[in-house]
Amino acid sequence: MTTEPAQPPPAPAVPPAQPEPPAQPEPPAQPEPPVPPQPQIPPAAGELTADPDLPSAAPAAPRAPRRPRPVLLSTCALVVGALAGGGVGYAIQAQRPPTPLPKLQVARPSYPAQVVDPTAFAAEQPAPPAIDGDLRKLLISAPDGSGPWGDLPDKTSWMSAGDLAEHSSRPELMFKDLLSTGFRRAVEVDWKKDDIRYRVLLTQYTPDHSDEAKSRRAEPFADGANGGYTVYNVPRYWSDSNDQYYYGLATAKRGTVQMTVEIFSPKQVDSGALKDLAKQQWERLV
């Protein structure tokens, strides 16, 4: 026996390294397409712009939830308040006792036992209403045997402010004066007899211009008449000719109505004829 140690078995042979395959040639790089320029949007008012030289900032925090609008809250509050107030009022009214209705039968009117004096009772009554209705019924008519005076109305007719202005020597001034002094309406009648011309006119004003219905303080033509008459001795001239005429005028007032009686005569006006004509017209107004 030998004491030599046993020899280890020989190591397996290492196969030779295989040669690496040749590297594949890389394909040529494709040129990148040009990037179109992006439109620059101006920043909104109050918005901060990022400086390109500074590092990018942190991402923006999420927007807080929008608060409800004040108008919506006010509307809801008004609706709720109205409903609540109506409910409270209905509940209060329902708890109250019902109000009893008045009796259907009332006390009968009573009259004084003493005898009333008719005169005193009439004096206590209010004044009669102002003249109203158809004024043509209050105007006298042309007497028998008379004829028309030109194109003037020989029958009782309504007259406008323009018609009355045409009779005056200054139509424009007369027309403006009538419209500015509360003219309401007028009626007129004209006639001619024995070369003497007559005109009777009733002019009514509005109640707030009753002072425009004027009367002349002259010779009275009737008892209690609010007016008078005047006969002029100096002749006058017609506006469209050199012919002369004598003039007589009578006026009176009752409420808002003014009465005018005119006589145009080639000779001196008879005062008695003017007085009688004015008295006839006044008696139809009272």
Side-chain angles (χ1 to χ4, degrees), residues 104-285:
L104 297 179
Q105 185 177 2
V106 297
R108 296 181 179 180
S110 58
Y111 300 96
Q114 65 273 16
V115 179
V116 178
D117 184 7
T119 305
F121 181 77
E124 294 177 357
Q125 300 305 311
I131 297 177
D132 208 347
D134 193 350
L135 291 180
R136 294 175 299 180
K137 298 180 180 180
L138 301 178
L139 194 65
I140 61 175
S141 302
D144 297 336
S146 62
W149 174 11
D151 57 349
L152 299 175
D154 57 344
K155 297 181 180 181
T156 55
S157 305
W158 292 105
M159 302 294 289
S160 64
D163 297 334
L164 295 179
E166 291 180 356
H167 297 169
S168 63
S169 58
R170 303 180 65 180
E172 296 181 0
L173 182 61
M174 183 68 175
F175 183 74
K176 294 180 180 179
D177 184 65
L178 287 173
L179 296 183
S180 61
T181 55
F183 171 79
R184 179 184 175 188
R185 56 182 181 168
V187 291
E188 180 179 332
V189 61
D190 302 82
W191 68 88
K192 180 180 178 181
K193 186 176 182 180
D194 299 334
D195 293 334
I196 301 177
R197 297 171 174 86
Y198 300 86
R199 172 181 297 161
V200 182
L201 173 67
L202 297 180
T203 307
Q204 188 171 27
Y205 298 86
T206 56
D208 52 342
H209 291 83
S210 59
D211 294 340
E212 298 298 332
K214 301 175 183 179
S215 61
R216 299 171 57 89
R217 292 186 176 275
E219 293 294 330
F221 54 80
D223 295 338
N226 184 10
Y229 73 97
T230 304
V231 174
Y232 296 89
N233 299 325
V234 179
R236 302 183 180 185
Y237 293 91
W238 296 104
S239 59
D240 55 351
S241 66
N242 294 326
D243 297 338
Q244 295 182 350
Y245 68 92
Y246 289 87
Y247 184 63
L249 173 65
T251 60
K253 171 186 177 182
R254 185 178 184 272
T256 58
V257 176
Q258 177 180 343
M259 182 195 81
T260 305
V261 178
E262 297 175 289
I263 296 180
F264 308 85
S265 176
K267 56 184 179 180
Q268 184 70 36
V269 175
D270 185 3
S271 59
L274 177 60
K275 180 179 178 180
D276 293 341
L277 188 61
K279 183 179 180 181
Q280 294 177 20
Q281 181 57 61
W282 174 256
E283 290 176 350
R284 296 177 69 96
L285 297 178

